[in-house]
Amino acid sequence: MAEQSMISIQHLEKSFGETKVLMDVNIEIQKGEVVVVLGPSGSGKSTMLRCINLLETPTGGHIFIEGQEITDPKVNVNKLREHVGMVFQQFNLFPHLSAKKNVMLAQMKVLKRPKEEAEKIAMERLAEVGLADRADFLPAQLSGGQQQRVAIARALAMDPHVMLFDEATSALDPELVRGVLDVMRELAEEGMTMVVVTHEMGFAREVADRVIFMEGGVVVEEGTPEEVFDHPKSERTKDFLGHIK
């Protein structure tokens, strides 16, 4: 089963000391699928996302990416991680580097691309997110939404096979959210495999192939957006959706 899924999460557990954050999470994500993960704060959504590229080390269980077990102690984590792009709530840009240089840096350091190639790809990716004309601006000269789009361009420049978005719009002013969601929408249309933790219900309904609702460290319900939003089976899902509509 693991080899045909882009991401296979099997019996994932994560504890911080005595606190269990994830309990027996099992999820299969196929190539080109957009999976949106919903749930209240503290439900384990972001922790699960961080386990997928080992920013958090699982306490138990297994995670496979393209058939390779990332949780195997013998695996070259950095090599596997090259194929997994991640965009965080905070933009994590280097304040002293221009947008273009922020997008070039990891390409040169991690992928060992020559400077000219890294610069060419940086400009292509910035154009993709609508920021070619801001390439030489420092982060402080950009709006929050523009900074987040630079962060997406930086992740895309690494040629990821999977993109993880951890509440990528929640730190933004409402009027800046649309530009970031539009970029994510385009990525989905191009067939990028995406796992998105978000509170943007419109985006989830419109773009997701599948919606997963988590609470208390477990997957409570999953299905198509229509199934989860319009015909939720679990009382917990109904209650959650009732509060945010």
Side-chain angles (χ1 to χ4, degrees):
M1 189 155 82
E3 58 273 12
Q4 75 260 26
S5 299
M6 178 60 89
I7 301 172
S8 178
I9 300 171
Q10 301 173 7
H11 307 294
L12 179 63
E13 309 265 337
K14 177 63 183 175
S15 300
F16 294 103
E18 297 296 300
T19 309
K20 286 190 169 181
V21 182
L22 295 172
M23 290 170 275
D24 197 28
V25 172
N26 295 278
I27 299 171
E28 299 288 324
I29 296 166
Q30 307 306 321
K31 188 175 192 301
E33 195 175 17
V34 178
V35 175
V36 171
V37 186
L38 306 175
S41 295
S43 59
K45 315 179 297 290
S46 292
T47 301
M48 181 190 74
L49 212 59
R50 292 170 69 85
C51 284
I52 292 174
N53 66 354
L54 290 197
L55 287 174
E56 297 288 356
T57 307
T59 313
H62 306 274
I63 300 173
F64 296 83
I65 296 176
E66 297 184 288
Q68 275 197 286
E69 186 179 357
I70 194 167
T71 39
D72 180 346
K74 298 188 288 293
V75 83
N76 181 342
V77 172
N78 290 332
K79 198 81 194 138
L80 264 179
R81 211 185 256 148
E82 284 175 17
H83 299 307
V84 183
M86 185 148 184
V87 179
F88 300 87
Q89 189 174 339
Q90 262 61 45
F91 323 124
N92 299 331
L93 299 177
F94 290 104
H96 62 292
L97 296 180
S98 67
K100 179 174 70 180
K101 286 184 174 162
N102 263 289
V103 180
M104 288 170 63
L105 189 64
Q107 296 184 64
M108 292 160 64
K109 291 259 193 255
V110 179
L111 301 182
K112 307 290 186 237
R113 280 181 181 150
K115 185 178 176 210
E116 296 71 26
E117 187 187 353
E119 186 169 8
K120 177 176 174 287
I121 289 168
M123 287 307 297
E124 288 169 359
R125 296 297 175 254
L126 285 169
E128 263 179 57
V129 300
L131 289 175
D133 60 337
R134 298 283 193 275
D136 295 319
F137 285 45
L138 292 171
Q141 298 170 301
L142 300 171
S143 72
Q146 289 170 333
Q147 289 184 58
Q148 190 60 294
R149 283 189 275 152
V150 172
I152 294 172
R154 176 179 59 187
L156 291 175
M158 304 297 283
D159 299 329
H161 300 178
V162 178
M163 284 284 283
L164 310 177
F165 292 88
D166 188 8
E167 305 207 8
T169 58
S170 61
L172 301 177
D173 292 334
E175 68 269 19
L176 302 177
V177 168
R178 174 173 289 283
V180 175
L181 291 179
D182 284 346
V183 170
M184 292 167 68
R185 219 174 252 114
E186 282 164 27
L187 282 176
E189 284 166 10
E190 288 162 14
M192 175 65 76
T193 308
M194 293 164 58
V195 188
V196 183
V197 169
T198 186
H199 293 292
E200 297 290 338
M201 297 301 138
F203 176 86
R205 189 183 270 278
E206 184 190 336
V207 180
D209 296 305
R210 194 152 41 110
V211 173
I212 291 173
F213 174 67
M214 290 181 72
E215 190 177 53
V218 299
V219 173
V220 175
E221 186 161 349
E222 64 178 293
T224 65
E226 293 74 28
E227 286 166 348
V228 173
F229 286 116
D230 300 334
H231 310 287
K233 298 185 185 73
S234 157
E235 287 304 320
R236 287 152 84 187
T237 314
K238 286 177 194 168
D239 187 52
F240 174 77
L241 293 172
H243 280 96
I244 54 169
K245 277 180 180 167

